[in-house]
Every structure is written in structure tokens, then in C-alpha cells.
Amino acid sequence: MQGQAQQQAYDRGITIFSPDGRLYQVEYAREAVKRGTASIGIRTAEGVVLAVDKRIRSPLLEGTSVEKLHKADDHIGIASAGHVADARQLIDFARRNSQTNRLRYGEPIGVETLTKEVTDHIQQYTQVGGARPFGVALIVGGIENGEPRLYETDPSGTPYEWKALAVGADRGEIQEFLEENYDEGGDLESGIVLALEALASVNDGSLSPDGLGMATVDAESEQYVELTSEEIGEYLEAEGLLDDEEDDGEEDADDETDE
């Protein structure tokens, strides 16, 4: 009983280390990330691909209101997993810093610089009493000096650079798929296909374009571009990943047109 009470004491204070050096509130924030739907980032030779599972829970919900992909600057995109409200606060912080850098120095902010500014902000909430950590992980992808860069932010405030990664639900399975199939020399198109295949691997092998979000940042144009549902649907159909119900719907529509 005494041990349980002692555990709860460490549990309640974000600024208190447990005897084994853990901050339990940070670990709980990571659990919040795991409960969020999956997001994927892939770095290719031609740019960066971001893909998210929006998983619309009701046919009455407007899909465009589910925001998991964000434009931080012309050359930087961010995908999130975890608490959407926490993500929105960090996205606003990233956008302000991006614009401040352009006004102050007359040049776009570096992907690494922006990521570390965001993680510095996150880290402050792991050592301030009366606050809680951000229950969200971000994938920050963009172009820096002509080179694609891809980073992850952790609720502890630690940045990691990746070639390909997943955050959110089913991270272990998706990460294993990416490790087996990732090609560092691939182009942007192959990165899009790999991201869709990775998501399909944990969704019974099929996906619906309305439940997905995808964006790319091309190394040549250095522009963040979101794919439409129609474009995502074309990729899914070409790779045989389109949900059967979507296929049936398209066939019915074709029949009506022919008549």
C-alpha cells in the first residue's frame, strides 16, 4: 500500500523524477501519442512524403475538418499523431517562428532549426510545475539547402532525424514494414506508394482515399503540396490497395454514366 502511494506521488508531479530516473507524465504523453491514428514520413532522393490516417469515425463528419497535415512554411510540412489540440498549438508556434525567421533574416528557416525550436518549447513543459507535457508527436519534413530532411519530435522534447518513420497507432508494425521495404534512392512517386503500402499493411490491405491525407515537399520546387482525395484514390487503385466498397462505388457510377 505504501509503495502504491509512493508511486502516485511521483505520478502527479511533472518536475519530480522517480527513483529510477523516470518522468511518468512524459511517459503518459507518449501513451497519448500511441492512441492517435498513424502518421508516416518518408525521405526520398527527390523530396519528402507525409501520409496520415485520418480515420473518419462517422459519415456525418466533414473529412476536411480532421487536421493532421499542416503547412508550416512553403518548404516545410508537419504531420501529427496524438492530441490534435496540442498539435495545433505547436503548429502555430512553428509557423510563427518560420515567419519571424523570414522577416528577421530574409531567408526560409532550416528544417533542423525549426524542429529544435519546437522541441525546445516542448521540453520546457517537462520541467514546469502546474503544466503538463504535450501529448503529441510531430513529423517535420522539408527541404534545407536543396536536401530533403525528416525529423520527429518526442513529448520529452527530443528531436530525431529519420530516413523513414511512423508515429501513432501501430508504430511497431509500420516501422518494421518500412525497414524491410525502404529504398533510400527512390523517387517521390515510390515514396508515396511505400507510405500507402505501409498504412495498408495495418488496415487489412486496403484503404479509402477519404480517410487518408498525403502531402509532398519536392526538392526541386521546394513547395509543400497536399494531394487531393482523387489523386490518392488513383494511387490506391493503381497499386490494388483501394477498399472494395470504393471499387463497387466506382463501378456503379460507371454503369450509371454508360446508361
Side-chain angles (χ1 to χ4, degrees):
M1 194 73 179
Q2 183 179 359
Q4 185 178 0
Q6 188 179 30
Q7 172 81 22
Q8 290 176 350
Y10 296 119
D11 195 59
R12 293 171 183 165
I14 182 59
T15 60
I16 303 173
F17 284 101
S18 70
D20 55 350
R22 296 161 63 186
L23 291 172
Y24 287 109
Q25 291 293 327
V26 171
E27 295 187 16
Y28 295 158
R30 291 194 181 112
E31 288 299 318
V33 173
K34 292 179 183 178
R35 292 176 181 274
T37 53
S39 294
I40 295 176
I42 296 174
R43 190 182 76 191
T44 73
E46 294 183 354
V48 173
V49 176
L50 300 174
V52 297
D53 180 358
K54 295 193 292 187
R55 198 171 298 175
I56 299 172
R57 296 180 299 275
S58 168
L60 301 178
L61 180 65
E62 191 64 52
T64 55
S65 67
V66 181
E67 294 182 309
K68 291 196 63 180
L69 279 176
H70 310 265
K71 179 180 178 181
D73 203 341
D74 290 339
H75 64 301
I76 298 177
I78 299 179
S80 66
H83 284 296
V84 176
D86 286 9
R88 192 169 60 247
Q89 291 296 314
L90 293 177
I91 298 301
D92 288 344
F93 177 85
R95 287 170 173 166
R96 287 195 301 270
N97 283 30
S98 298
Q99 293 305 308
T100 298
N101 192 88
R102 283 185 180 271
L103 291 170
R104 183 174 295 166
Y105 302 111
E107 63 182 19
I109 194 169
V111 183
E112 181 178 6
T113 300
L114 180 62
T115 303
K116 289 185 175 179
E117 288 180 354
V118 172
T119 51
D120 285 347
H121 181 65
I122 293 171
Q123 194 275 336
Q124 292 178 17
Y125 285 80
T126 68
Q127 60 182 34
V128 177
R132 65 163 175 80
F134 288 94
V136 66
L138 304 179
I139 300 176
V140 185
I143 308 300
E144 182 173 345
N145 298 323
E147 294 294 326
R149 306 292 294 273
L150 187 67
Y151 287 88
E152 172 196 9
T153 73
D154 182 76
S156 67
T158 307
Y160 303 97
E161 185 169 13
W162 293 82
K163 297 176 181 177
L165 81 151
V167 294
D170 302 311
R171 172 172 181 158
E173 293 87 341
I174 297 175
Q175 200 70 26
E176 184 177 343
F177 182 91
L178 292 174
E179 289 171 2
E180 293 176 356
N181 296 278
Y182 176 72
D183 177 13
E184 192 169 354
D187 57 15
L188 211 55
E189 296 285 320
S190 65
I192 292 172
V193 172
L194 177 60
L196 292 173
E197 289 176 340
L199 285 174
S201 69
V202 293
N203 284 280
D204 300 323
S206 63
L207 298 166
S208 169
D210 293 333
L212 299 176
M214 295 199 77
T216 62
V217 187
D218 185 83
E220 185 175 351
S221 65
E222 298 192 5
Q223 293 294 310
Y224 172 89
V225 178
E226 282 197 36
L227 277 65
T228 65
S229 294
E230 290 75 17
E231 290 173 322
I232 296 173
E234 290 174 3
Y235 279 107
L236 292 175
E237 187 174 8
E239 299 302 320
L241 302 174
L242 192 64
D243 186 69
D244 291 338
E245 293 182 2
E246 297 287 337
D247 280 333
D248 294 341
E250 289 182 3
E251 289 175 4
D252 292 344
D254 289 341
D255 291 341
E256 290 175 5
T257 304
D258 291 338
E259 291 174 359

